[in-house]
Amino acid sequence: MNSRNFSIQITEFVIEGFEKVERKMAIGVVMLIVYVLIILANTLNIVFVILDKKLHKPMYLLICNLAVVDMLYSTSSCPTMIGVLLAGANTISYAACFIQMFIFQVAETMELFALAVMAFDRLIAISFPLRYRSILTNVHTIAITYFLWVAACAFVTLMPVLLIPMPHCSNRLTYTFCDFPAVVRTSCLNPSYYFNLATIVLFFLLFFTSGFICLSYAWIISVVLRSSKNETRKLLSTCFSHLIVVVCYYVPLFVRVVFTRIGLVLTLEERQGLMIGAILGPSLVNPFVYCLRTKEIKNKLFSIFKKGKPIQ
């Protein structure tokens, strides 16, 4: 029997992912505070780099790129969730839902790419310190970043294109915002094909980028082991910020994507809680990690505070 005979015309979706949540107002306020901190902290990182010509270097350009990705990642979903929790605005138009899905998936993919290219930066800086400025120039860094944005959009475009002709039997999303699985579950069709396809794409991106990062650090460790104690401490210090960021992002992603495929059972609420944590956590941690661990940005921040002190 043709499922299209039973499909309905969708003009808007109803977000029901927070229906079972208690203390919606308190959670909404916390999420709003965290979101504002994410935007402010990442904006400050970008402004510091733009205004200080001494920071116009590949590593800081990549930090700026990560800050842009983090703001896009959180903005693609947080305002919708905050609106549902604080204002009860639990509907979203059909077009806006697909736009949100596309932006979220681009940001999620770019987060993987951004962390991978930052590992490449550390690899070149530590393995070929004398040739670093010739291998990874500002122009090369911008070109690589541009290519990765184009690649991310190309990977992600497939998903919304597949869903546009899909017949829908419901307009109610059991998730907290318009994500790919949420929209698929409103379809009249068997969702297995779409979930399997999304899993293949995500697994490829996840293992490609994580594998590249692991190989980069394996090479870095081999360089470190051949270095003196003083050099070892310096080399590890340059990588520590990036490692913190990688762990904060990849651990929840592996739990949600990989471990659930090999036996870990999560309820829908647990899965969505992990998703929200994976969106807010790294996006908030990243700018503070780089502010506190990167000497040039930290010094710039301290100098601003010193200038702002009143004269005694």
Side-chain angles (χ1 to χ4, degrees):
M1 191 175 292
N2 193 341
S3 60
R4 293 183 183 274
N5 294 334
F6 300 93
S7 64
I8 59 175
Q9 185 69 31
I10 300 291
T11 57
E12 65 179 17
F13 289 100
V14 180
I15 300 171
E16 296 183 336
F18 290 111
E19 289 298 317
K20 297 181 180 179
V21 173
E22 299 179 0
R23 303 178 122 186
K24 294 181 183 179
M25 188 65 66
I27 295 173
V29 170
V30 171
M31 192 176 293
L32 176 62
I33 292 171
V34 173
Y35 176 64
V36 170
L37 287 175
I38 288 170
I39 299 301
L40 289 177
N42 281 289
T43 300
L44 282 177
N45 259 2
I46 294 172
V47 170
F48 287 159
V49 174
I50 291 175
L51 295 182
D52 192 341
K53 292 185 178 180
K54 295 178 182 178
L55 300 182
H56 293 182
K57 301 175 183 178
M59 183 178 76
Y60 300 104
L61 294 179
L62 294 176
I63 290 175
C64 279
N65 179 61
L66 183 65
V68 171
V69 173
D70 285 334
M71 288 193 290
L72 186 67
Y73 194 33
S74 55
T75 301
S76 65
S77 54
C78 287
T80 297
M81 294 189 287
I82 292 168
V84 173
L85 290 167
L86 295 184
N90 65 339
T91 60
I92 183 170
S93 70
Y94 180 87
C97 182
F98 273 74
I99 292 171
Q100 182 180 73
M101 182 202 313
F102 177 78
I103 294 174
F104 175 78
Q105 290 176 334
V106 168
E108 187 174 45
T109 303
M110 269 307 300
E111 192 87 25
L112 297 171
F113 288 164
L115 294 178
V117 77
M118 291 176 86
F120 176 71
D121 169 76
R122 293 298 83 203
L123 173 66
I124 299 300
I126 291 173
S127 302
F128 310 101
L130 299 179
R131 297 175 55 196
Y132 174 75
R133 293 185 179 181
S134 61
I135 296 175
L136 205 60
T137 64
N138 287 349
V139 174
H140 291 164
T141 303
I142 293 172
I144 291 171
T145 304
Y146 175 79
F147 171 78
L148 291 177
W149 276 99
V150 172
C153 291
F155 270 109
V156 168
T157 300
L158 173 65
M159 299 304 165
V161 168
L162 284 174
L163 298 190
I164 289 174
M166 175 183 287
H168 298 276
C169 285
S170 172
N171 71 333
R172 300 189 173 274
L173 305 178
T174 55
Y175 288 61
T176 54
F177 62 96
C178 281
D179 194 12
F180 180 81
V183 177
V184 169
R185 291 187 184 280
T186 67
S187 170
C188 305
L189 304 176
N190 186 340
S192 299
Y193 167 77
Y194 298 92
F195 285 144
N196 291 338
L197 183 61
T199 299
I200 290 171
V201 173
L202 188 54
F203 266 53
F204 171 76
L205 294 172
L206 182 60
F207 284 102
F208 175 78
T209 54
S210 62
F212 180 83
I213 292 171
C214 290
L215 289 174
S216 298
Y217 274 101
W219 185 275
I220 289 171
I221 290 171
S222 70
V223 173
V224 169
L225 292 176
R226 298 194 300 267
S227 306
S228 64
K229 289 185 178 180
N230 290 335
E231 288 179 332
T232 298
R233 190 178 296 109
K234 183 179 178 180
L235 294 177
L236 291 176
S237 178
T238 64
C239 296
F240 191 65
S241 300
H242 182 255
L243 283 172
I244 293 174
V245 172
V246 167
V247 169
C248 286
Y249 184 70
Y250 273 91
V251 168
L253 191 59
F254 264 92
V255 171
R256 180 169 58 88
V257 175
V258 180
F259 292 169
T260 53
R261 297 295 190 279
I262 59 176
L264 179 65
V265 178
L266 296 176
T267 64
L268 183 60
E269 289 75 20
E270 291 170 340
R271 186 184 290 271
Q272 293 182 154
L274 191 61
M275 169 78 85
I276 294 171
I279 295 170
L280 296 178
S283 298
L284 180 63
V285 168
N286 294 351
F288 289 103
V289 165
Y290 280 110
C291 273
L292 297 176
R293 291 290 308 174
T294 305
K295 183 176 67 175
E296 289 83 355
I297 295 180
K298 183 169 62 176
N299 291 342
K300 182 75 175 177
L301 187 63
F302 287 163
S303 67
I304 291 174
F305 280 120
K306 286 181 180 179
K307 288 178 182 178
K309 286 184 178 180
I311 299 175
Q312 299 294 331

